[in-house]
């Protein structure tokens, strides 16, 4: 048996990139999804190949149901089923609710919440048919657990992912496929640019932001054989802010 294939969506940067790089170190073969940033995705693919993975790249918009299905079905047909899926791709588009435009609501819900359905729908039945005792991990957020000002859309999408993952966990449990959420707090990525750093650190008991590599380590544990009895859980990684 070769390296077990794990689809990582949004793998070109930030948390997704860290998950891809850590997963190949742990003996998995990450399939790298990206949407816009081909150059960054190519750099991750190159690092994955250096570590012994295939460096397969898939380009699609998670909000585009047809394109997502076509890309995933083609990859599965060509290269075989996934052992695991990390639903990490997401966008934020913040505004206080009175100023939150319909387009901002739709964009975030389409990408983050519909993306959960769009990505997993073509993948789950092949996993079941192949009797893969696989892993599904959705990247949620502290915003989906406690809400965050200016993020009614993002908090709604991430809370929706948590509910969807818990229900899917129950459905897939008899197949020995686990489904869990990882809910990061404030992690050092492009997504947090412009936040008042010192002020925010005061509300984090550990008094620092998290690193993408720390989230990746947790995700890769959930992918591992040692995590086979963990399902339907939301695991927070947020420096003690909540939960």
């Amino acid at each position: 048996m070769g390296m077990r294939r794990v689809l990582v969506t949004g793998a070109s940067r930030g948390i997704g990139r860290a998950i891809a790089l850590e997963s190949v170190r742990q003996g998995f073969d990450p399939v790298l999804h990206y949407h816009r940033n081909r150059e960054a995705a190519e750099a991750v693919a190159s690092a994955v190949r250096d570590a012994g993975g295939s460096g397969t790249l898939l380009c699609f918009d998670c909000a585009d149901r047809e394109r997502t299905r076509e890309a995933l079905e083609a990859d599965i047909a060509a290269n075989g089923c996934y052992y695991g899926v990390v639903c990490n791709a997401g966008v934020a588009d913040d505004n206080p609710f009175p100023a939150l435009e319909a387009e901002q609501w739709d964009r975030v819900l389409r990408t983050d919440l519909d993306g959960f359905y769009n990505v997993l729908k073509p993948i789950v039945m092949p996993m079941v048919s192949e009797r893969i005792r696989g892993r599904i991990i959705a990247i949620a957020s502290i915003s989906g657990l406690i809400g965050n000002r200016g993020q009614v859309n993002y908090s709604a999408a991430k809370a929706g992912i948590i509910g969807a993952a818990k229900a899917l966990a129950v459905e897939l449990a008899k197949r020995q496929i686990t489904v869990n959420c990882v809910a990061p707090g404030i992690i050092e990525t492009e997504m947090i640019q412009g936040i008042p750093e010192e002020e925010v650190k005061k509300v984090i008991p550990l008094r620092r932001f998290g690193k993408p590599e720390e989230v990746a380590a947790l995700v890769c544990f959930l992918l591992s054989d040692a995590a086979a009895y963990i399902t339907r859980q939301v695991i927070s990684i947020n420096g003690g802010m909540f939960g």
Side-chain angles (χ1 to χ4, degrees), residues 53-77:
S54 63
T56 305
L57 282 172
L58 297 181
C59 178
F60 56 85
D61 177 0
C62 291
D64 182 338
R65 188 163 296 154
E66 268 313 290
R67 177 73 192 101
T68 299
R69 182 182 61 76
E70 286 164 8
L72 293 173
E73 284 179 353
D75 182 54
I76 291 168

Side-chain angles (χ1 to χ4, degrees), residues 54-132:
S54 63
T56 305
L57 282 172
L58 297 181
C59 178
F60 56 85
D61 177 0
C62 291
D64 182 338
R65 188 163 296 154
E66 268 313 290
R67 177 73 192 101
T68 299
R69 182 182 61 76
E70 286 164 8
L72 293 173
E73 284 179 353
D75 182 54
I76 291 168
N79 301 302
C81 214
Y82 306 120
Y83 162 76
V85 185
V86 183
C87 294
N88 164 74
V91 295
D93 195 348
D94 298 354
N95 232 342
F97 190 71
L100 191 68
E101 299 290 345
E103 294 74 28
Q104 293 179 293
W105 175 269
D106 290 343
R107 177 171 175 247
V108 170
L109 270 288
R110 293 299 78 84
T111 304
D112 298 22
L113 184 53
D114 288 357
F116 178 94
Y117 175 86
N118 296 345
V119 167
L120 291 177
K121 186 65 168 55
I123 289 171
V124 166
M125 272 318 292
M127 283 173 94
V128 169
S129 302
E130 297 280 331
R131 293 189 164 81
I132 291 169

Side-chain angles (χ1 to χ4, degrees), residues 11-25:
S12 64
R13 54 194 177 168
I15 289 172
R17 175 180 180 277
I19 291 167
L21 296 176
E22 180 60 20
S23 70
V24 74
R25 284 194 285 268

